[in-house]
Amino acid sequence: MNHSTIRKAFESHLRGRNLKLTPQRGRILDRVFATHDHFSAETLYGWLKQDTGANISRATVYRTLSLLEEGGFLESLDAGQGERLYEHVLGHRHHDHLICIDCERIEEFYDERIEKLQELAAESRGWTLTHHNLRLFGRCKVCQRKHQSEESNS
Amino acid sequence: MNHSTIRKAFESHLRGRNLKLTPQRGRILDRVFATHDHFSAETLYGWLKQDTGANISRATVYRTLSLLEEGGFLESLDAGQGERLYEHVLGHRHHDHLICIDCERIEEFYDERIEKLQELAAESRGWTLTHHNLRLFGRCKVCQRKHQSEESNS
DNA sequence: ATAAGTGCAAAGAGTTTGCATGTTC
DNA sequence: GAACATGCAAACTCTTTGCACTTAT
């Protein structure tokens, strides 16, 4: 799915709600799909500020993030650091997150078997799932090494 | 593990940090272990207000919740409704959560196989886990029925 | 002209903190 | 009386909202 397809999809999502693809919304869409990292509203606001002289207000950033999330273009994630993190969805199949408690690095992973077992767990209790969210907290490869050498030094 | 054992454990956790088990901290500890529900700081504050005339300030409630969480007496959970929810740990083995998107009901579940697969997923990527957090969002039995009959009526 | 969009600044929610006062050993 | 605790209110962070002004059709 290329960029102009995404743009059209967003436009059509907006049109369905009698909203328009304004320049601000367009720029936000572009910026959001230009990164494959996780970002916060504030980070995005900063990027947009740098990208061109013209400013987009925080209010518009937040409002557009909500629109994008509703439309399924973005997913949000609370990594436990106060601010909500976003990542774009299209071209990214569903995945879960490993979050490093030392360096805050976020790594994505996907395990089909875990997905299935989640469905089963819900079903067997009479629930129907709409979505889920799995976060594994620990130390990444790098921080683990650092942590171990600190331990042995002390 | 009975209540006085928990009290002693908390006292010893506090002593280890040169802190004291004050009346306020004691009452908070008691109240927190008197419920098996999930609760927010504000809810706890309200309970304490009702329990006796004497007031415990929000500041103390928040500060004590942090102490209890650090000590592993409480775990916290973001159910995506703005406020952080807490639940006591001792006597509760680890579990994950089903969260109803309609009525906000929270149900606990545990699946050994999911736990194992999480460990494996982390290990195989070179991570070491400290903890994790799995939230399944969907509709509980009751809300599912409601939702379906609404759908068919429209 | 009408409906929607924007930016600003103010409001909100939840939580944390500075500080004067109290308590405890 | 030194160190820690508390309560209060103010501060803080992130996010949402009200409103006057602007834009597009």
Side-chain angles (χ1 to χ4, degrees):
Chain A
M1 192 178 248
N2 64 26
H3 206 107
S4 84
T5 319
I6 292 168
R7 239 187 133 80
K8 272 177 201 138
F10 186 37
E11 202 169 354
S12 120
H13 170 69
L14 289 170
R15 215 183 343 255
R17 331 172 98 251
N18 279 318
L19 305 176
K20 291 159 211 157
L21 181 47
T22 63
Q24 286 90 334
R25 289 178 181 154
R27 277 181 56 206
I28 292 174
L29 180 77
D30 292 348
R31 197 57 193 80
V32 152
F33 277 90
T35 184
H36 290 272
D37 275 339
H38 301 82
F39 58 90
S40 67
E42 189 60 30
T43 306
L44 173 57
Y45 175 70
W47 287 340
L48 293 165
K49 204 164 209 164
Q50 287 200 312
D51 283 355
T52 81
N55 202 27
I56 297 184
S57 68
R58 273 193 186 75
T60 298
V61 169
Y62 276 100
R63 288 189 276 235
T64 306
L65 284 173
S66 300
L67 285 172
L68 287 166
E69 196 177 4
E70 279 171 29
F73 299 88
L74 292 183
E75 271 181 8
S76 73
L77 158 77
D78 177 355
Q81 292 135 221
E83 26 176 41
R84 181 154 298 274
L85 298 185
Y86 293 86
E87 59 185 337
H88 68 246
V89 168
L90 304 170
H92 280 203
R93 70 171 175 186
H94 165 73
H95 56 259
D96 295 306
H97 294 102
L98 282 153
I99 301 170
C100 180
I101 56 175
D102 284 347
C103 70
E104 301 188 350
R105 171 183 167 66
I106 297 179
E107 193 170 313
E108 301 171 355
F109 75 95
Y110 177 79
D111 189 316
E112 184 65 40
R113 295 163 301 176
I114 295 179
E115 303 290 320
K116 284 249 167 64
L117 287 169
Q118 288 175 356
E119 270 302 332
L120 282 174
E123 248 174 54
S124 70
R125 286 165 181 82
W127 289 57
T128 319
L129 293 189
T130 54
H131 59 292
H132 72 263
N133 180 284
L134 170 59
R135 296 172 300 171
L136 305 183
F137 295 90
R139 289 202 174 78
C140 69
K141 236 176 201 168
V142 178
C143 291
Q144 207 179 309
R145 265 199 296 269
K146 280 188 202 151
H147 187 69
Q148 280 165 351
S149 58
E150 274 164 29
E151 296 267 289
S152 57
N153 286 347
S154 63
Chain B
M1 190 178 251
N2 64 26
H3 206 104
S4 83
T5 318
I6 292 168
R7 239 187 134 81
K8 272 176 202 141
F10 187 36
E11 202 170 353
S12 118
H13 171 69
L14 289 171
R15 213 179 350 249
R17 330 172 100 249
N18 278 319
L19 305 176
K20 291 158 212 157
L21 181 47
T22 61
Q24 286 91 334
R25 289 179 181 154
R27 276 181 56 206
I28 292 175
L29 179 77
D30 292 348
R31 196 60 194 78
V32 152
F33 277 90
T35 184
H36 290 271
D37 275 340
H38 302 81
F39 59 88
S40 66
E42 189 61 31
T43 306
L44 174 57
Y45 176 70
W47 286 341
L48 293 165
K49 204 163 209 165
Q50 286 201 312
D51 282 355
T52 79
N55 202 25
I56 297 184
S57 70
R58 274 193 185 76
T60 298
V61 169
Y62 277 101
R63 286 190 275 235
T64 306
L65 283 173
S66 300
L67 285 172
L68 287 165
E69 197 177 2
E70 279 171 28
F73 299 88
L74 292 183
E75 271 180 8
S76 74
L77 158 77
D78 178 354
Q81 291 135 221
E83 27 176 40
R84 181 153 297 274
L85 298 185
Y86 294 86
E87 59 186 336
H88 67 247
V89 168
L90 304 170
H92 279 204
R93 70 170 176 187
H94 164 73
H95 56 259
D96 295 306
H97 295 100
L98 282 153
I99 301 169
C100 180
I101 56 174
D102 285 347
C103 71
E104 301 187 350
R105 171 182 168 64
I106 297 178
E107 194 170 313
E108 300 172 355
F109 75 96
Y110 177 80
D111 189 316
E112 183 64 39
R113 295 164 300 176
I114 294 180
E115 303 290 321
K116 283 249 168 64
L117 287 170
Q118 289 175 355
E119 271 302 333
L120 281 174
E123 248 174 55
S124 70
R125 285 165 182 82
W127 289 58
T128 317
L129 293 188
T130 53
H131 58 292
H132 72 263
N133 179 285
L134 170 59
R135 296 171 301 172
L136 304 182
F137 295 90
R139 289 202 174 77
C140 68
K141 237 177 200 167
V142 179
C143 292
Q144 207 179 308
R145 265 199 296 268
K146 281 187 201 153
H147 187 69
Q148 280 166 352
S149 59
E150 274 164 28
E151 296 267 287
S152 57
N153 285 348
S154 63

